[in-house]
Amino acid sequence: MITVLLVDDEPLVRSGLRAVLAGAGDIEVVGEVADGAEVPGLVARLHPSMVLMDVRMPGIDGISATRQLMAAAEPPRVLVVTTFENDEYVYAALRAGASGFLLKRARPEEIVQAVRTVAAGDSLLFPAAIRSLARSFGDGAEAASIKRLSGRERDVLRLMARGMSNAEIAGELFVAVETVKTHVGSVLGKLGARDRTQAVIRAYESGFVASSPQ
């Protein structure tokens, strides 16, 4: 069972998400809150596997709340829920440690699939959106970390930035999926990235992957 904490200052949004997730069968909403200030305490008490986090809230916003969660020894995965995808707040939340973002206008089946994807340990990655966000809001501060990657690790990172899964990368490079998993783990470690989203952000901000449309 995937346990979820809903964080949004709009009661209608929370009730809508709760209704959608309740029908999934394998997802349980264990709590909800309207202010980011209450998130760390609730997470410590309820131990949800995931937090659906609004980024724009009065008081403590989703960026600060996400950053506080990531400081814990075993933080839950965070999925940002947003109205606008090309938003500096969204990018800041991703840089703070969120595994991806979900638009509030998404269809119910897309919401459920997004929660399942992130809960399974995968990042909810939209390469075009990440590229656009990095171009608009990135600070280019990650160039040095890319130099630590081997040639094959750089190949893997380029394909990760295109949104490819491990199986797709394996097919592209003609190697085993387990080999790709090893390379991905090494890339994350050398970049200090928690997941694929963080690694791809570093790839774009460093200029390793072009932030302009191809």
Side-chain angles (χ1 to χ4, degrees), residues 105-142:
R105 64 177 180 272
R107 297 190 301 271
E109 60 270 22
E110 293 174 333
I111 294 172
V112 170
Q113 185 56 46
V115 169
R116 288 172 175 161
T117 297
V118 173
D122 296 324
S123 298
L124 197 64
L125 190 61
F126 302 95
I130 296 293
R131 181 176 61 227
S132 176
L133 289 165
R135 185 170 63 246
S136 299
F137 307 117
D139 59 14
E142 297 292 341

Side-chain angles (χ1 to χ4, degrees), residues 113-195:
Q113 185 56 46
V115 169
R116 288 172 175 161
T117 297
V118 173
D122 296 324
S123 298
L124 197 64
L125 190 61
F126 302 95
I130 296 293
R131 181 176 61 227
S132 176
L133 289 165
R135 185 170 63 246
S136 299
F137 307 117
D139 59 14
E142 297 292 341
S145 61
I146 301 293
K147 295 179 180 179
R148 295 197 291 268
L149 303 182
S150 69
R152 181 43 60 96
E153 288 166 352
R154 293 183 184 204
D155 292 338
V156 169
L157 180 57
R158 287 190 186 95
L159 298 177
M160 287 166 60
R162 288 165 53 184
M164 287 189 174
S165 66
N166 287 347
E168 290 168 335
I169 294 173
E172 184 80 9
L173 298 180
F174 302 103
V175 297
V177 173
E178 288 303 319
T179 299
V180 173
K181 289 181 179 179
T182 298
H183 286 314
V184 169
S186 182
V187 168
L188 298 186
K190 289 182 179 180
L191 296 185
R194 182 169 183 262
D195 56 24

Side-chain angles (χ1 to χ4, degrees), residues 1-5 26-30 43 46-52 69-70 74-79 99 115-116 118-121 194:
M1 183 66 70
I2 303 168
T3 53
V4 175
L5 174 66
D26 59 340
I27 303 173
E28 179 186 4
V29 176
V30 295
V43 166
L46 300 174
H47 303 290
S49 50
M50 184 182 307
V51 177
L52 264 60
L69 291 180
M70 293 305 114
E74 295 185 4
R77 294 195 172 267
V78 174
L79 182 58
S99 293
V115 169
R116 288 172 175 161
V118 173
R194 182 169 183 262

